[in-house]
Every structure is written in C-alpha cells, then in structure tokens.
Amino acid sequence: MILEGVVTTRNLDGSANISPMGPVVDEGMRRIVLRPFRTSTTYANLRRVGAGVLHVTDDVLLMAQAAVGTPDPLPRLVTVGEMLAAAECGDLRALSDDVRDALVLADDVRDALVLADACRWYAFRVVEVDERAERVSIVADVVRSGRVRDFFGFNRGKHAVIEAAILATRVAILPRAEIDAQWAPLRSWVEKTGGPQERAAFEYLESWVADRRETRGDAPG
C-alpha cells in the first residue's frame, strides 16, 4: 500500500532536503519503493548517496511547506547515529532495534537525517534503481527504525491540507477552474475540523498558489 510520509535526503552540500512522498510499503515496513520524478532533488540525492529516511508525521504544516518549497524555519534534524545513541541513553523518546549497532552503521545510513519531532522514522538504503520511466522506481531496504512520539491521528482538516498540497504542486499543469473546484470543499473541511496548525498550513498553500498565479498572469475561470 502507499504510505503518505516525508523523506529526508542530504544535498550535495550536506544540507537537508525534505520532501513529502508516498512510497509503496509492505506491512512489516521492511522494504519501500519510492517513485520520484527524474528532475527531483530527492532522486538526485538518492542516486548519489544511496540512503535516506522515511518519516510518519502528523505535522501537516511541515508537509505543506515541503510540498512547494523548503520549510522555513527548518525543523530540528538529527542524524540516525545521534538518534540511536540518544535512544540508548534515554535522552529522546525514541525506540529502535539493536541501538548498540549505531557505532557500526555504514556512513551513508549513520549520517542520514531524521526529523526529531516525527512520530516514526525508517532509515533506508537503496538496493535497486529502475530509470526506464519518467518516474524512477527506487527500491530500498529499511535498515533502522524508531519511534519518537504517538501519532496524533488525521481528521478531515489534516487530510484536506494534504490534498491541497498535492493540488498546489499541480498548479502549473491543471486548469485553474479544476483546481478551484477541488479547493473549495477542502477549505470548508479545514474551517470545520482543523486546528491552528491546519489553518496555518492551508493559508500558506493558498498564498503560495495565489503568488504563482499572479506571477504567471492567470486569468480567473
């Protein structure tokens, strides 16, 4: 099945790339299949480094910002090695399998970046890349995992933000009327069931879409 999450990878300069992504996962979360576009930073980073981290999070503001750009400010990030070491000494509410193996992890995994406030995280290593289609198929094995906090859960407002983020990424390819028709009920769901985070995320996306339309000179309708 597809799991909506957030993937972190390292850019060429060592900084973090944060991208919402819906990989195909198995029930035991042992193997994942990502399908980034060839032009994406995530694809370039995974092709170069071969490792990253998939996160399960209920922070829809982060997901909204990452869908259309770089979150500002950046969320707190720690390396997999630091997360496992902290779990061992009890500095973070994180659990992992075989935390004592942190010292013998290969550099690509040990240095991968974890969102410190994610609910769960899964560090993975790429084992297969299929570049025959426009969207690359990247098969990866999960090599370490951990839990930081309970998953709050999704309501209609959180779901609406995720759907709005997907629509925002398609503003350049979908007709304005089609986006507007789908946008209105999403706004209603956020207003009725969302909290401060969901409203802030939706307002952020609305502003981003409006800016892109103004830049392109889109006409209403």
Side-chain angles (χ1 to χ4, degrees):
M1 69 173 179
I2 291 177
L3 173 66
E4 297 293 347
V6 174
V7 172
T8 54
T9 54
R10 277 195 184 270
N11 296 319
L12 188 59
D13 62 2
S15 61
N17 179 69
I18 303 173
S19 178
M21 197 162 290
V24 176
V25 302
D26 62 17
E27 187 174 345
M29 292 297 294
R30 294 177 295 270
R31 172 162 284 194
I32 64 176
V33 180
L34 302 105
R35 298 185 65 240
F37 287 101
R38 287 175 174 270
T39 56
S40 70
T41 302
T42 296
Y43 165 64
N45 289 346
L46 289 177
R47 202 73 175 92
R48 188 185 71 258
V49 178
V53 183
L54 169 66
H55 304 79
V56 174
T57 180
D58 48 25
D59 186 345
V60 293
L61 178 57
L62 171 66
M63 297 178 78
Q65 291 177 333
V68 296
T70 301
D72 185 17
L74 282 174
R76 183 178 171 229
L77 294 150
V78 297
T79 67
V80 170
E82 289 170 337
M83 183 66 83
L84 294 178
E88 187 174 21
C89 66
D91 288 344
L92 291 174
R93 292 175 297 162
L95 302 175
S96 66
D97 50 356
D98 301 324
V99 294
R100 295 184 183 278
D101 286 347
L103 295 178
V104 298
L105 281 176
D107 288 345
D108 58 352
V109 176
R110 187 178 63 243
D111 294 337
L113 296 170
V114 179
L115 295 169
D117 190 46
C119 301
R120 303 194 309 275
W121 58 270
Y122 301 89
F124 60 83
R125 179 178 287 118
V126 174
V127 296
E128 182 183 325
V129 178
D130 185 344
E131 299 174 317
R132 289 174 294 180
E134 180 183 1
R135 294 188 70 168
V136 180
S137 177
I138 300 178
V139 180
D141 286 338
V142 174
V143 294
R144 288 293 181 275
S145 63
R147 173 183 171 276
V148 180
R149 63 179 176 84
D150 288 341
F151 180 74
F152 178 81
F154 279 150
N155 63 0
R156 295 179 79 188
K158 286 185 180 291
H159 278 297
V161 171
I162 294 175
E163 292 299 323
I166 294 171
L167 275 178
T169 65
R170 298 173 180 171
V171 70
I173 59 176
L174 291 179
R176 177 167 182 165
E178 182 176 340
I179 290 180
D180 289 346
Q182 296 182 56
W183 201 271
L186 299 177
R187 182 189 298 109
S188 176
W189 296 345
V190 171
E191 291 172 350
K192 290 179 179 179
T193 69
Q197 184 191 86
E198 292 70 42
R199 293 187 180 93
F202 200 80
E203 290 171 4
Y204 176 87
L205 291 170
E206 281 194 315
S207 177
W208 189 89
V209 169
D211 287 346
R212 293 307 176 279
R213 285 176 167 174
E214 183 175 346
T215 300
R216 289 166 40 199
D218 284 2

